[in-house]
């Protein structure tokens, strides 16, 4: 009887351990399992010119099937030095996939550069170009030196299975937000706007869009840091914030800037309607 009990306990232990391991699903596996059905639905939405439905399908795919998966390891190529494996980045990663033929909004790169210069000590900002080295060189002068600019030639890369998924499944430009263990917290599209938008407005639009990804990564860092605090430390943190607002100062500032931008945008729209 005792032997059976011991065997039962061991069985439950190993079953639970295996189940926990199984939950660490690679991104490539998850996207492969769902991309065909997603493409069928999104093609139908675009055929009906239902852009709202298309956005909803993308959000649902990310939220229900891709968030919480782990990015596969693959190698990227900087302008100088040896190839770098994704697993070698030790900080949370803000990854943008791009290509030289994509035309960014006029304020996109300046907004990204400002955020990178402010947060590169806490986050690895990686801009991945689906291009060769020469084309990356042409673009490199536009970006902050604190951005890790890398490229991949799909035809020659040995990790073609994941490269194919990253480049073709969801398209690009695209933003991937990962914690230090390469767990995907979210995936978002780069915001777009009309080409006639002013530099100031374009900067504000992109800053507020990009900063939401930064806030997500910083909040995850803070959450992990707070989980290591003692119970007494946690009580002190909670009681010091009577309003229930648990945002960091930086998150609060970003939200305030976004609210300011939103009010300015609404004011401009109202003036246009009046005219």
């Amino acid at each position: 009887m005792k032997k059976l009990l011991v065997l039962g306990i061991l069985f439950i232990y190993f079953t639970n351990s295996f189940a926990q391991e199984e939950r660490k699903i690679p991104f490539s596996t998850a996207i492969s399992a769902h991309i065909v059905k997603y493409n069928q639905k999104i093609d139908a939405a675009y055929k009906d010119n239902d852009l709202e439905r298309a956005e909803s399908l993308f959000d649902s795919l990310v939220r229900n099937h891709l968030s919480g998966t782990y990015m596969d390891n693959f190698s990227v190529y900087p302008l100088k030095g040896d190839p770098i494996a994704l697993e070698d980045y030790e900080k949370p990663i803000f990854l943008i996939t791009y290509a030289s033929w994509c035309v960014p909004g006029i304020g996109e790169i300046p907004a990204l550069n400002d955020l990178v210069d402010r947060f590169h000590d806490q986050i690895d900002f990686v801009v991945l170009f689906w291009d060769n080295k020469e084309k990356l060189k042409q673009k490199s002068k536009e970006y902050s030196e604190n951005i890790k600019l890398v490229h991949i030639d799909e035809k020659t890369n040995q990790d073609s299975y994941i490269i194919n998924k990253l480049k073709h499944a969801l398209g690009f430009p695209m933003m991937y937000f990962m914690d230090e263990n390469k767990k995907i917290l979210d995936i978002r599209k780069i915001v777009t706007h009309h080409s006639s938008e002013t530099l100031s407005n374009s900067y504000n639009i992109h800053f507020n869009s990009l900063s939401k990804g930064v806030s997500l990564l910083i909040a995850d860092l803070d959450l992990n840091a707070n989980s290591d605090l003692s119970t007494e430390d946690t009580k002190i943190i909670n009681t010091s914030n009577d309003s229930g607002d648990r945002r960091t100062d930086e998150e609060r500032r970003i939200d305030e800037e976004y609210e300011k931008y939103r009010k300015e945008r609404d004011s401009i729209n109202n003036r246009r309607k009046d005219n």
Side-chain angles (χ1 to χ4, degrees):
M1 186 67 181
K2 287 183 179 180
K3 287 183 179 179
L4 288 175
L5 181 61
V6 171
L7 287 172
I9 293 171
L10 288 173
F11 176 78
I12 293 170
Y13 172 79
F14 285 114
T15 300
N16 288 339
S17 298
F18 181 74
Q20 289 175 1
E21 239 179 77
E22 285 297 300
R23 283 198 292 269
K24 196 169 181 177
I25 301 169
F27 168 80
S28 61
T29 300
I31 194 71
S32 296
H34 300 283
I35 195 63
V36 173
K37 185 177 289 186
Y38 167 76
N39 283 337
Q40 290 171 348
K41 291 181 178 180
I42 205 164
D43 287 346
Y46 282 130
K47 185 177 180 180
D48 294 336
N49 200 29
D50 190 346
L51 300 183
E52 187 175 340
R53 170 66 173 161
E55 288 299 320
S56 176
L57 286 168
F58 176 83
D59 292 341
S60 177
L61 174 69
V62 172
R63 182 175 60 254
N64 296 322
H65 302 297
L66 303 181
S67 292
T69 64
Y70 288 78
M71 184 60 72
D72 308 65
N73 190 37
F74 60 94
S75 295
V76 294
Y77 298 81
L79 284 173
K80 296 180 181 179
D82 297 327
I84 303 169
L86 191 72
E87 64 184 13
D88 290 338
Y89 292 112
E90 297 180 352
K91 303 172 189 174
I93 298 176
F94 188 135
L95 171 67
I96 299 179
T97 57
Y98 232 109
S100 59
W101 59 87
C102 297
V103 181
I106 190 172
E108 180 182 330
I109 296 177
L112 176 63
N113 286 342
D114 284 351
L115 284 166
V116 170
D117 291 341
R118 206 174 299 176
F119 293 102
H120 69 275
D121 287 338
Q122 298 164 279
I123 298 170
D124 279 327
F125 291 86
V126 182
V127 178
L128 167 60
F129 277 81
W130 306 115
D131 276 308
N132 57 41
K133 187 174 183 179
E134 292 306 314
K135 290 183 178 179
L136 179 57
K137 274 184 182 179
Q138 296 170 14
K139 291 288 183 180
S140 62
K141 294 180 182 179
E142 302 175 35
Y143 289 90
S144 164
E145 62 182 9
N146 292 315
I147 293 178
K148 302 178 189 306
L149 285 176
V150 295
H151 67 97
I152 285 180
D153 185 341
E154 182 186 11
K155 296 177 182 178
T156 60
N157 196 279
Q158 294 181 351
D159 304 311
S160 57
Y161 72 98
I162 179 59
I163 301 309
N164 180 275
K165 301 302 179 188
L166 275 174
K167 184 177 180 182
H168 300 291
L170 297 181
F172 57 92
M174 194 70 64
M175 300 182 291
Y176 298 80
F177 310 111
M178 294 170 265
D179 69 11
E180 62 271 23
N181 297 313
K182 313 306 175 288
K183 181 181 179 180
I184 296 175
L185 304 178
D186 201 2
I187 302 171
R188 298 176 190 172
K189 297 178 180 179
I190 294 281
V191 68
T192 58
H193 58 67
H194 197 277
S195 58
S196 64
E197 197 68 69
T198 64
L199 173 59
S200 176
N201 284 344
S202 177
Y203 177 92
N204 287 332
I205 290 169
H206 286 289
F207 182 89
N208 288 293
S209 174
L210 295 167
S211 65
K212 292 184 182 300
V214 173
S215 294
L216 176 66
L217 293 170
I218 295 296
D220 186 67
L221 276 174
D222 288 346
L223 181 65
N224 292 335
N226 288 340
S227 67
D228 294 332
L229 296 174
S230 66
T231 304
E232 193 61 34
D233 289 333
T234 305
K235 286 180 181 178
I236 292 171
I237 290 173
N238 291 337
T239 55
S240 66
N241 198 347
D242 296 331
S243 65
D245 186 352
R246 298 186 179 181
R247 293 174 296 173
T248 64
D249 289 341
E250 188 61 32
E251 289 175 311
R252 193 175 296 107
R253 186 193 66 76
I254 289 172
D255 287 343
E256 287 171 355
E257 288 184 4
Y258 178 75
E259 184 63 22
K260 181 181 177 182
Y261 156 73
R262 189 185 63 79
K263 288 179 179 178
E264 289 177 354
R265 182 195 61 191
D266 291 346
S267 176
I268 291 171
N269 288 337
N270 289 334
R271 285 200 299 270
R272 286 175 179 171
K273 289 178 182 177
D274 291 340
N275 294 334

